[in-house]
Amino acid sequence: MSNLKMKEAALVYLDRSGGLQKFINDCKYYNDSKQSYAVYRFNILINPSDIVELDAELGNHILHHPVKAAEVFQSVCFIAVKTLSLIGQLQTETQINIVLKLTHLPALPSYSLNFCEFPLDYTSQRFYMMQGIVIAMTTVTKYTQGARFLCSDDACPLSEGFQYIRVHAPGATESATVRNDFLCNLCSSSLQEDRKFRVLGDKQIVEIITAKALHAFQGHSNNQPFRFQSFTIFLRDELVNKMSIGNEYKIIGIPTCVKSLQTSVCIEANSITFCNPKVPSGISDNFRCLLSLISSSCWKFTAILANVFASHIVPPGTYNFLKLCLLMSLVQTSDSNKELEDCLDILIITSDTLLVDRLLNYSINLVPRGIRHPVSTEIFPTLFRNNYGTGAVSIQAGSALLAKGGICFIGDLSSYKKDKLEQLQSVMESRSITVYIPGKKFGDDSNQQTTFPIQCSFWSFVDMDSSSRKNMQKTNTLIGQMDCSLIPANLVEVFGLLINCNESSPCHQFLPTVHHTLKKAIDPEGLLYLASKQFTTEDFEKLLAFAKNLNVEFSLEAERMVHGYYLASRRIRTDSICGSKLSASALKYLGYCILCCSKCSISIRTI
């Protein structure tokens, strides 16, 4: 009686939600094809809130026993097909394959699967919601949705018809659906597959990590050990190619198996949703107070920001030009799924690599996608053979794709080999990278290629002392005449900003930096300046998160200034006598700095 009641509730829900009409339309497609299928697959959209309100027992079955709930809908749909004569070729109930697609799960902790917390429930075979960033994915391969088997004994009545139908179940391997050791229930003879009725579907494997795991790629440590584990998502049929490397998604799925703590957790995906970041409501009270005091000039606000930025890394008033450029690059990052058009790459020439490295490492932690490239890994995507026996090749993200919408800090540029520098130059010029997949190497008949957009800003530095060991540094420190012979000139040009930070430059004040370093050695956790107490790291995080999500427009005066700049720069480049020795790309990014400063001015007025 309980099962009959749930079937009635399922029919009522399908009728009220419009699912019944969709089912009838899907049946019409199968019936019009005039082809006999072993398995007829139907997706049914389920809103858990609505169905629990209609019938609590059926709702509980869907949430906690999805396989049994699918059998309830399977029975209802089979009766509907026979009653309404929807598919003439359908013979048995087992030929109907029902996939319940959930719109959401209850917002309760028991329905969330967090791989940073223990213990974890892998065996209940029910729906969970998880959230993560795609770090790898395979090419699309085929799997068996369903197959028809017949008894090998011709005298057996089950040697014909559609009595033995095997359908893929969540978490099942290919051998669980199709193999040669099945036996007939009636005569115990072996079963043979009728291959012409095999139904194939698309499959893709995606590897995901939680957003918290990005701390391991940010060079940030709070002296507390932490562990993170990737988990594997199986995408099938309509979910294939719905995810992109570097994006963050919410996934509803069923955990299927865990071999050990060293292997990935496997999730059979049911639905996926792109995660839209939360837009901050505003800036901190400290910055609001500062802004009110200097509201007559927005440029003062920008100057003070650069002056006090990272005051526990370098003393206030030092490295101001570098800090202003870093802030401009940070405010150009994006948390949304839209294409990042305004990347601002920075290359720093310095003799104090330790201090610059600390400053850049601190800065990338102010944005969600600030990635410090580990030396032992690759910057750009690489190919590996996946570990799940599907024969597909796995594309690993690399630091640049993980930093999507953010910053990729690649460290000392002079430490890379020539081929890596050439690849970096090519990517920065085109803002994309193409991965070639050789068919012979990975067991495919044809070669493939996949192109990924690179939507991040690159930060790097060059050790001036390392360069001077090969070539004597010139006394003139103008950017256009700086000796960067250790790095190819074409690579230097693709960086948006080239910043000179040496002892002879105004941004490097030696004595305050020495005092700061000595005080930090004595009291590493101490706040040495009033600015460190008034404007905390959290305040800067809120400011950047708010400013980069503003939609700003240029005033008429700003547009005229930028337009006049481009006209003047064109004349300078084309003048053969008094023309500029700077490259076209350097002039281009000089104009881009004007755009960034104008945007900063407008953003502050908006605040």
Side-chain angles (χ1 to χ4, degrees), residues 392-404:
V393 58
S394 178
I395 304 174
Q396 303 289 330
S399 300
L401 291 185
L402 279 182
K404 182 176 182 179

Side-chain angles (χ1 to χ4, degrees), residues 263-417:
T263 59
S264 295
V265 178
C266 300
I267 308 293
E268 189 83 18
N270 180 267
S271 64
I272 54 177
T273 308
F274 178 79
C275 290
N276 290 311
K278 296 181 180 178
V279 179
S281 57
I283 62 176
S284 66
D285 294 337
N286 294 329
F287 278 128
R288 286 188 180 277
C289 180
L290 173 64
L291 186 60
S292 64
L293 294 175
I294 55 173
S295 57
S296 59
S297 172
C298 56
W299 301 108
K300 288 183 180 179
F301 184 80
T302 307
I304 293 176
L305 285 183
N307 188 74
V308 302
F309 180 62
S311 58
H312 63 287
I313 304 296
V314 294
T318 61
Y319 290 90
N320 279 2
F321 179 67
L322 173 59
K323 291 188 290 185
L324 177 61
C325 293
L326 294 179
L327 287 171
M328 286 196 300
S329 184
L330 289 170
V331 84
Q332 291 301 114
T333 60
S334 173
D335 296 334
S336 63
N337 194 31
K338 65 180 181 180
E339 184 176 350
L340 185 64
E341 298 178 351
D342 299 326
C343 300
L344 182 55
D345 307 309
I346 297 178
L347 177 61
I348 304 164
I349 308 297
T350 180
S351 58
D352 193 349
T353 57
L354 179 61
L355 201 58
V356 169
D357 182 87
R358 289 175 179 173
L359 183 58
L360 298 184
N361 198 75
Y362 166 79
S363 301
I364 64 174
N365 282 274
L366 298 177
V367 291
R369 291 297 186 93
I371 301 295
R372 183 188 179 103
H373 170 64
V375 179
S376 59
T377 63
E378 297 291 335
I379 301 178
F380 302 111
T382 51
L383 300 179
F384 293 92
R385 190 178 297 277
N386 79 86
N387 301 322
Y388 297 93
T390 62
V393 58
S394 178
I395 304 174
Q396 303 289 330
S399 300
L401 291 185
L402 279 182
K404 182 176 182 179
I407 306 293
C408 183
F409 175 28
I410 58 178
D412 188 353
L413 208 58
S414 58
S415 64
Y416 292 92
K417 295 182 179 179

Side-chain angles (χ1 to χ4, degrees), residues 16 94 192 257 293 297 345 395 414 479 488 491-492 517 526 572 586:
R16 291 182 179 179
T94 54
Q192 294 180 346
C257 65
L293 294 175
S297 172
D345 307 309
I395 304 174
S414 58
I479 293 179
L491 177 59
V492 174
T517 304
I572 291 176

Side-chain angles (χ1 to χ4, degrees), residues 137 143 202-206 233-237 239-243 251 267-269 272:
M137 64 169 46
Y143 81 103
D202 293 329
K203 177 180 66 175
Q204 189 176 33
I205 301 175
V206 174
I233 308 294
F234 283 83
L235 304 179
R236 301 186 189 273
D237 304 304
L239 296 183
V240 165
N241 289 328
K242 295 296 184 182
M243 304 178 80
I251 304 105
I267 308 293
E268 189 83 18
I272 54 177

Side-chain angles (χ1 to χ4, degrees), residues 559-579:
E559 289 183 353
R560 287 175 178 172
M561 179 180 67
V562 174
H563 181 66
Y565 159 77
Y566 280 116
L567 288 177
S569 64
R570 188 180 296 115
R571 288 198 197 100
I572 291 176
R573 291 197 306 271
T574 55
D575 192 333
S576 58
I577 300 176
C578 301

Side-chain angles (χ1 to χ4, degrees), residues 139-145 174 200-204 236-237 390 392:
T139 53
V140 178
T141 57
K142 295 294 183 180
Y143 81 103
T144 303
Q145 280 186 3
E174 186 72 7
L200 299 179
D202 293 329
K203 177 180 66 175
Q204 189 176 33
R236 301 186 189 273
D237 304 304
T390 62

Side-chain angles (χ1 to χ4, degrees), residues 279-280 335 366 540-550:
V279 179
D335 296 334
L366 298 177
F540 274 98
E541 288 178 352
K542 290 182 178 179
L543 177 67
L544 291 171
F546 181 76
K548 68 185 179 183
N549 285 291
L550 290 174

